[in-house]
Amino acid sequence: MTVTDDRPAAEIGKDRRRKEDRRLITGSSRYTDNIVLPGMLHLAMVRSPFAHAKITSIDTADAKQATNVVAVYTAADLDESAGVLINAWPITPDQKTPVHAPLPADRVTFAGEIVAVVVARSAAAARDAAELVDVDYEELPAAIDLKEAAEDTVLAHPDLGTNKSALWVFDSAEAGTGGNVEDAISQARTDGVVLEREFRQNRLIPAFMEPRSVVVDPTGEQLTMWSATQVPHILRFALAATTGVPENKIRVIAPDVGGGFGGKLQVTPEEWLAWWIARQLHKPVKYTETRSESMMAAHHGRDQWQKLTLAATKEGKVTGLKVELTADLGSYVAIVGGGVPVLGAFMYNAIYKIPAYHFACQTVLTNKTWTDAYRGAGRPEATFAIERLMSDLADELGMDPLELREKNWITHEEFPFTTVAGLEYDSGNYEAATATAKEFFGYDALRAEQARRRESGDTVQLGIGVSTFTEMCGLAPSRVLGSLDYGAGGWEHASVRMLATGKVEVSTGTSAHGQGHETAFSQIVADRLGVPFEDVEILHGDTQVSVKGLDTYGSRSLVVGGEALVQAADKVVEKAKPVAAHLLEASVDDIEFATGRFTVRGTEAGVSIQDVAGAVFTAHNLPDGMEPSIDADATFDPVNFNYPHGTHLCAVEVDTETGQVKLRKYTCVDDVGNIINPLIVEGQVHGGLAQGIAQALYEDAVFDDQGTLVSGSFVDYLMPSAADLIDFDAHHASTPATTNTLGTKGVGEAGTIASTPAVVNAVLDAVRPFGVADIVMPCSPARVYAAIAAGRAGDTGTATEGAGQ
């Protein structure tokens, strides 16, 4: 007799097209701006054209008389119930944090700050009436240039008396994790090599596909906010903490969200204003920003000066690293804005065994749009700095850049490894990732071609760039975050419910905005419970459905949220065992579970988990005293951060007569541990590469001397299209993480972190023979051509000119 095994095959590791794709790609999804409620009103914002100015008067009379206008509000109309925007991460006890009200009372501090709100019966009427609001300003000197602001040349907030917000310092000698960096530098000046560099991290705009939108309905027993946000649970908490509305009266829903990249982890003035106005008028309200508003007033990323000193022996062994960072916060300290450089502080040592390390970051207030986390959040900045330095050191010593790195990296036998920054890397194999990358890239052949081009004087030179990286992600142990004065924990929550028909309903506290959570999480639960993939439904993004959570950022969804799912599913199995034993008339101790079936050890007798779910639903035949439920919740607090790594190799062709940079080949090998869905991972890597390459070659948020964003549209803010990029040669290695059951590591930010230095190193490698030591990002044709011309003239001091904003 042949027995047919119809149990589902393993899901983990399978290329699954995303469940979400049908609705997302066809446009049948529901985004916040699609929501229409009975009697809904619309908001339009009146924004300051000045970066810094006194508000001398606001005349709203004409706007109030306009057709279909219901109300116009200024700061004078707001009361304490409007609340203020929070900073959840004061990085030092004496941090200077200007109060961030939804509407400023008497002074604007960046171009684009809201000064009035028009409420009307249609979005068009609100926008038209907003143009009738007459605001008189007295323009004030603006702190725009970051270096000048750090010297308090002009004060962004005169009432604070300084632009210096906080100074955060880590020193390996004081922390007991390494030696004294000044001693290492002094010794290297005597008998080694010292590199001193200053790099510029250009300001970027998280140009997500869907502009921010918010709808508030105050008419129910609970007040409900729909928002295009990455952080519905954090948003709910912040509303309760600052506006006086009890948390149990607040429901926040993040429907389908069209991209975020960190740009939607804010709590925003627009959300606070919509919340307050809806409560005042007792009517639903909606606000959806225009693209130009998004680029001007949604938060920006990066924007740092990095002063670096690297000490090494003449044989290429790094002995010390000193980092002096100046970071632009913009006009306010955003929800985690001050903490972004702190995340990077632990990553400047990267994959290397650096004996001595010192890091100091001065955060600075300016009259520009405030900054906060942008894909990678501090880690890309750190990786860029150390990988630029390692390539510069290789050039200084006449060594191959990969050989130089190998001299300094942690070998696979040395894991777990405690770094000079005090973190414990649990697993990795940098040698394997690099060897694989070299092979697929054709490293030696490209180096030979480069030599031929240089010898022949070809006007198009070939450059090869290297970036070997690791990152800390999966934010992370609550106690560690507490020690850094972060305002929340790092845990994540999940619940698994077995329905009467055998289907599975899962809620997760992580909130997707395009990553494929519904698919990957379904694969995890399907395997854990042994049910078909199609039978698992993932619910998220609604604080009434997923009642606990800390949301999505920092590549934490899988490594923290996924582990919570595993633990909840395992609890379901354990709760189901006594029921299965009862149905099978066996001892619980004799019950085994595999691929969805409970069996009696040593026999063929068994029952499926779906059958158990049905028996629990009817509750006709349960063990005495048993609660009729096998549903389970779990909250997972990780014991460590998560450390993916990889090797990225980039080849570019640089036309020395025009400065044009053309991508020739890009190969990467990323080690993200065990992979749940290779197709999703590939998409995450490709998207990350596009963003990192864009910083290197294309994107730049530029302000003029008066503080006006002059790259405030896609006409001026250059984003690459598919035509500007190439096919990426992406591969994977796998050293499983030891800190979660699945052995997974974060992948969402890897491509962005590694690719920027790989591309810039490649561009510089192509033009070093012309005396070029640095080119400020983005490496546009104009900048590359100017650098070549200056290098040929023997003037290397122009590398960073014009990049002070």
Side-chain angles (χ1 to χ4, degrees):
M1 176 179 175
T2 302
V3 177
T4 301
D5 189 351
D6 58 358
R7 287 173 289 183
E11 283 290 336
I12 290 178
K14 182 183 292 186
D15 273 334
R16 276 275 189 188
R17 288 193 177 275
R18 301 188 310 173
K19 288 183 174 183
E20 306 93 317
D21 280 350
R22 180 177 180 84
R23 71 174 192 272
L24 294 176
I25 293 173
T26 62
S28 58
S29 181
R30 186 166 80 159
Y31 295 92
T32 302
D33 192 43
N34 298 131
I35 295 168
V36 178
L37 301 176
M40 187 170 70
L41 302 173
H42 298 263
L43 309 183
M45 306 299 169
V46 180
R47 298 180 182 273
S48 167
F50 297 107
H52 196 198
K54 289 182 180 179
I55 303 171
T56 57
S57 68
I58 304 179
D59 185 350
T60 62
D62 289 346
K64 287 179 177 178
Q65 296 300 314
T67 303
N68 286 323
V69 169
V70 174
V72 181
Y73 294 102
T74 68
D77 300 304
L78 270 58
D79 57 26
E80 289 185 358
S81 67
V84 295
L85 280 73
I86 62 171
N87 167 238
W89 196 349
I91 60 173
T92 64
D94 60 349
Q95 174 178 285
K96 295 286 193 300
T97 309
V99 175
H100 192 178
L103 291 174
D106 55 8
R107 187 170 55 88
V108 294
T109 58
F110 73 98
E113 186 160 18
I114 304 166
V115 296
V117 187
V118 175
V119 187
R121 292 184 178 87
S122 71
R127 287 194 294 268
D128 288 345
E131 296 182 3
L132 301 176
V133 176
D134 186 13
V135 186
D136 284 333
Y137 300 93
E138 180 185 324
E139 192 171 2
L140 299 171
I144 303 301
D145 182 272
L146 175 53
K147 285 187 175 181
E148 292 180 0
E151 297 298 325
D152 289 337
T153 305
V154 175
L155 295 181
H157 293 269
D159 53 310
L160 295 179
T162 181
N163 292 326
K164 297 180 178 69
S165 179
L167 176 65
W168 193 90
V169 178
F170 176 88
D171 187 272
S172 62
E174 294 178 4
T177 57
N180 185 291
V181 77
E182 296 297 342
D183 290 346
I185 293 169
S186 178
Q187 184 65 39
R189 292 193 192 280
T190 301
D191 56 15
V193 178
V194 175
L195 297 185
E196 295 175 297
R197 297 288 187 269
E198 188 173 42
F199 298 144
R200 177 68 170 143
Q201 278 287 324
N202 45 324
R203 179 178 275 243
L204 303 177
I205 299 174
F208 28 70
M209 289 185 291
E210 177 204 17
R212 298 173 305 163
S213 182
V214 58
V215 173
V216 178
D217 183 3
T219 61
E221 179 63 23
Q222 282 187 311
L223 285 78
T224 301
M225 174 183 283
W226 289 263
S227 183
T229 182
Q230 298 174 220
V231 290
H233 296 89
I234 292 173
L235 179 54
R236 181 194 193 202
F237 170 80
L239 286 168
T242 65
T243 68
V245 180
E247 189 174 1
N248 60 352
K249 291 294 185 182
I250 302 173
R251 180 184 184 184
V252 175
I253 303 171
D256 283 321
V257 176
F261 314 122
K264 291 178 181 170
L265 61 72
Q266 280 304 315
V267 294
T268 70
E270 293 86 352
E271 288 165 329
W272 258 237
L273 290 167
W275 180 254
W276 184 82
I277 291 169
R279 291 163 60 208
Q280 298 302 304
L281 298 177
H282 306 290
K283 288 182 176 292
V285 302
K286 178 194 285 187
Y287 169 74
T288 300
E289 67 186 1
T290 65
R291 179 60 67 180
S292 59
E293 285 181 299
S294 178
M295 298 186 78
M296 177 171 56
H299 86 249
H300 294 173
R302 313 289 193 252
D303 203 347
Q304 299 176 355
W305 278 105
Q306 301 169 312
K307 185 178 179 182
L308 308 151
T309 307
L310 183 76
T313 67
K314 291 180 179 178
E315 292 72 38
K317 293 283 285 185
V318 175
T319 57
L321 175 63
K322 182 179 180 181
V323 179
E324 298 168 276
L325 196 66
T326 306
D328 193 339
L329 298 179
S331 61
Y332 295 105
V333 188
I335 187 168
V336 294
V340 168
V342 174
L343 288 176
F346 297 98
M347 285 287 103
Y348 278 83
N349 52 282
I351 67 172
Y352 307 114
K353 294 180 286 190
I354 299 178
Y357 174 55
H358 177 89
F359 174 93
C361 174
Q362 179 67 65
T363 57
V364 178
L365 295 160
T366 63
N367 293 121
K368 291 185 282 187
T369 307
W370 68 89
T371 60
D372 206 322
Y374 174 65
R375 197 170 188 172
R379 283 73 55 84
E381 297 93 313
T383 300
F384 179 84
I386 188 61
E387 289 305 292
R388 284 289 315 276
L389 284 172
M390 295 302 279
S391 287
D392 280 6
L393 180 61
D395 180 68
E396 179 79 13
L397 298 175
M399 295 177 62
D400 180 89
L402 282 174
E403 179 188 350
L404 184 280
R405 286 166 169 80
E406 187 173 4
K407 275 182 174 287
N408 290 281
W409 67 38
I410 304 158
T411 63
H412 69 277
E413 299 94 346
E414 295 176 283
F415 289 97
F417 184 89
T418 301
T419 73
V420 71
L423 298 181
E424 183 179 274
Y425 294 176
D426 63 320
S427 68
N429 191 328
Y430 310 138
E431 306 98 300
T434 302
T436 304
K438 282 186 68 175
E439 179 183 353
F440 283 105
F441 186 65
Y443 187 82
D444 293 336
L446 284 168
R447 283 292 182 199
E449 179 185 343
Q450 180 186 55
R452 291 194 299 271
R453 289 196 182 198
R454 287 183 176 178
E455 290 169 3
S456 67
D458 196 327
T459 57
V460 178
Q461 287 291 306
L462 181 66
I464 298 169
V466 175
S467 176
T468 50
F469 85 104
T470 189
E471 62 157 320
M472 54 181 281
C473 64
L475 296 175
S478 295
R479 290 184 179 182
V480 173
L481 294 177
S483 72
L484 295 171
D485 298 314
Y486 181 65
W491 52 265
E492 195 48 76
H493 182 77
S495 66
V496 176
R497 299 188 284 271
M498 292 296 304
L499 305 182
T501 54
K503 308 301 183 184
V504 185
E505 201 169 63
V506 177
S507 72
T508 172
T510 67
S511 181
H513 44 280
Q515 299 94 327
H517 289 183
E518 294 172 35
T519 302
F521 288 177
S522 292
Q523 291 178 268
I524 293 170
V525 174
D527 268 7
R528 214 71 190 180
L529 297 180
V531 299
F533 168 81
E534 295 77 11
D535 286 357
V536 182
E537 188 73 16
I538 306 296
L539 307 175
H540 60 87
D542 183 341
T543 61
Q544 199 172 74
V545 175
S546 53
V547 294
K548 291 175 63 178
L550 286 173
D551 304 319
T552 300
Y553 40 84
S555 292
R556 68 186 304 273
S557 296
L558 176 60
V559 298
V560 186
E563 184 65 15
L565 284 176
V566 167
Q567 293 186 5
D570 288 352
K571 287 182 180 180
V572 168
V573 172
E574 289 305 310
K575 290 180 73 172
K577 274 186 179 180
V579 183
H582 184 75
L583 296 174
L584 295 168
E585 299 181 342
S587 168
V588 172
D589 295 337
D590 291 331
I591 296 297
E592 297 177 335
F593 180 77
T595 59
R597 285 185 63 80
F598 295 95
T599 56
V600 180
R601 185 181 296 110
T603 74
E604 293 185 1
V607 62
S608 73
I609 195 168
Q610 292 97 330
D611 292 336
V612 172
V616 169
F617 171 72
T618 62
H620 294 166
N621 183 21
L622 298 181
D624 291 342
M626 181 178 181
E627 176 188 9
S629 172
I630 57 173
D631 300 343
D633 290 8
T635 302
F636 173 64
D637 197 355
V639 297
N640 194 0
F641 291 94
N642 196 254
Y643 302 100
H645 70 84
T647 297
H648 288 227
L649 302 174
C650 177
V652 301
E653 293 180 334
V654 177
D655 188 329
T656 60
E657 295 183 335
T658 66
Q660 183 69 43
V661 177
K662 180 181 178 182
L663 293 170
R664 163 81 173 271
K665 188 169 187 178
Y666 197 103
T667 298
C668 60
V669 176
D670 288 299
D671 187 333
V672 295
N674 293 334
I675 292 175
I676 304 300
N677 186 319
L679 192 62
I680 289 177
V681 167
E682 184 177 7
Q684 287 286 297
V685 170
H686 283 199
L689 292 177
Q691 286 185 269
I693 292 168
Q695 178 177 8
L697 297 179
Y698 303 107
E699 295 186 37
D700 199 15
V702 179
F703 291 82
D704 65 18
D705 292 340
Q706 286 72 47
T708 301
L709 180 68
V710 297
S711 55
S713 75
F714 288 140
V715 174
D716 303 295
Y717 187 83
L718 182 58
M719 287 183 63
S721 69
D724 299 303
L725 300 174
I726 58 175
D727 288 337
F728 302 127
D729 184 28
H731 304 272
H732 302 284
S734 180
T735 52
T738 63
T739 54
N740 65 72
T741 303
L742 297 169
T744 57
K745 302 178 183 180
V747 68
E749 296 165 312
T752 304
I753 290 170
S755 57
T756 306
V759 173
V760 175
N761 278 336
V763 173
L764 290 172
D765 187 55
V767 298
R768 282 189 193 276
F770 303 99
V772 178
D774 186 30
I775 301 172
V776 173
M777 295 185 290
C779 298
S780 63
R783 286 183 174 178
V784 173
Y785 181 81
I788 293 171
R792 282 171 165 160
D795 178 11
T796 59
T798 61
T800 57
E801 287 182 8
Q805 297 176 13

